[in-house]
Amino acid sequence: MRARGGAGCGWGLAERGGGRGGRWARAGERKRLAEGGSGGWAEGTVGTVGPAGCGAMRGGRRLFPLLLLALLPGLCHGRESAPGAVTCGSVLKLLNTRHSVRLHSHEVKYGSGSGQQSVTGVEASDDANSYWRIRGKSDSSCQRGTPVKCGQAIRLTHVNTGKNLHTHHFPSPLSNNQEVSAFGDDGEGDDLDFWIVQCSGTYWEREDAVRFKHVGTEVFLSITGEQYGHPIRGQREVHGMPAANHHNYWKAMEGVFIKPSLDPAKHDEL
């Protein structure tokens, strides 16, 4: 891990996972990492990256003994620290832990039901169509780098098509559960795009399995294993189920996780 930047709790960039779409840092950010300067980024693997200026190195000298690293969240006072949390603005893949497939979408519409863009589950870990951006019900309710709280309502926006994860009272094509689709344009849809993150702690932690409960219809985002034929052969149906069970647990996987900052106005471009 390399860290540069000025004092304070700056923004950071964390990446894990490989394959296509594995590098998300823009050239501008890579240049900042190479050149340094105030308010720089900190880059490394998930779970090891700290905000620039809050690390234990400055000018090549260690500021505190290693034993004091556990106290750094308190030293970086201000916004409550949650170093392992999923944050607003992060881009990630979501794995269904029961069926080991990732939440996916593409420019293929359902042939029945709503006719909207389909949402499926895929086994491949390197498919760029499986990235989703974490957003709030409004942009002001989920500022970039803010940890997502358990019980918070969010939107999941498909990165490559700009449509939001959505559900409504249409039957799903294979299991006759509730259809889940991708809806809207450029990240703007309607009030059926909101999902509550259900988890057991204070924040949605990257290492924890969580559920997503739909605000409008109260179903859980689920997969039960049904597979499509042509033209998306082998992909799994994603649908909404009324009951919480082992089919609706999801875990954050590959992606870019934005670190919390005391000043959310800094580094507002990823």
Side-chain angles (χ1 to χ4, degrees), residues 108 227-235:
V108 177
Q227 296 188 28
Y228 288 105
H230 182 79
I232 51 175
R233 184 175 303 277
Q235 295 187 22

Side-chain angles (χ1 to χ4, degrees), residues 29-191:
E29 280 67 53
R30 292 195 293 269
K31 184 177 180 183
R32 291 181 67 93
L33 283 167
E35 296 177 352
S38 63
W41 296 71
E43 183 177 28
T45 58
V46 167
T48 65
V49 181
C54 288
M57 300 292 289
R58 178 181 294 168
R61 293 178 299 172
R62 194 172 298 275
L63 294 178
F64 302 105
L66 289 175
L67 291 177
L68 291 182
L69 288 177
L71 299 178
L72 282 176
L75 295 175
C76 296
H77 55 82
R79 181 178 299 171
E80 186 175 353
S81 177
V86 174
T87 52
C88 298
S90 293
V91 173
L92 51 75
K93 296 180 180 180
L94 290 167
L95 178 77
N96 182 279
T97 59
R98 174 68 176 180
H99 298 278
S100 296
V101 292
R102 286 160 174 79
L103 189 68
H104 181 89
S105 192
H106 39 223
E107 293 182 348
V108 177
K109 295 183 178 181
Y110 287 119
S112 61
S114 69
Q116 294 175 4
Q117 182 171 301
S118 59
V119 172
T120 63
V122 297
E123 293 181 351
S125 63
D126 60 351
D127 195 317
N129 271 323
S130 300
Y131 281 109
W132 301 81
R133 187 181 304 277
I134 307 299
R135 303 169 63 212
K137 293 180 69 173
S138 65
D139 291 337
S140 61
S141 68
C142 195
Q143 295 184 3
R144 290 171 62 87
T146 303
V148 177
K149 293 182 178 181
C150 296
Q152 182 173 342
I154 63 168
R155 288 177 289 178
L156 290 163
T157 301
H158 189 241
V159 171
N160 280 356
T161 63
K163 296 184 183 297
N164 296 327
L165 189 69
H166 181 95
T167 190
H168 39 216
H169 292 296
F170 285 94
S172 60
L174 300 182
S175 67
N176 206 38
N177 285 298
Q178 185 164 299
E179 180 191 279
V180 171
S181 65
F183 174 76
D185 294 297
D186 296 324
E188 298 304 321
D190 61 22
D191 58 4

Side-chain angles (χ1 to χ4, degrees), residues 203-219:
Y203 298 106
W204 173 10
E205 299 287 342
R206 293 196 293 263
E207 299 303 320
D208 293 345
V210 303
R211 290 188 174 102
F212 299 101
K213 185 175 183 179
H214 191 243
V215 173
T217 63
E218 298 188 342
V219 297

